[in-house]
Amino acid sequence: MSDAFAVLAEPTRRLILDRLRTTECSVGELVAALGVSQPTVSKHLKVLRDAGFVASRTAAQQRIYRIDLRALRQVDDWLAPYRRLWTHHLDALERHLDRQE
């Protein structure tokens, strides 16, 4: 799991995932959308692909990238207890504020 967070810690990789969240993209489309060089995008896509966050398919002479939800589900599963803890604390704050009124 720590490897997943190391992969996601890089801002350009998060931007790539944000873009792929809504649509599949080629490297060229990602370059245009993000305003970074093709080698940079390719390097980050390789890291994301190796970590299981993106998958690709070939269309003519292009690779088209999309999010692979399996790795994101693992991150989500790891974060679930922390979300419950956060919700518990927010509920306690709400009860405290209600008592103050």
Side-chain angles (χ1 to χ4, degrees), residues 5-22:
F5 288 110
V7 169
L8 296 174
E10 211 295 325
T12 303
R13 292 184 200 129
R14 291 194 310 270
L15 288 173
I16 290 170
L17 289 174
D18 286 344
R19 180 70 179 181
L20 295 177
R21 186 169 30 104
T22 58

Side-chain angles (χ1 to χ4, degrees), residues 25 27 33 35:
C25 294
V27 173

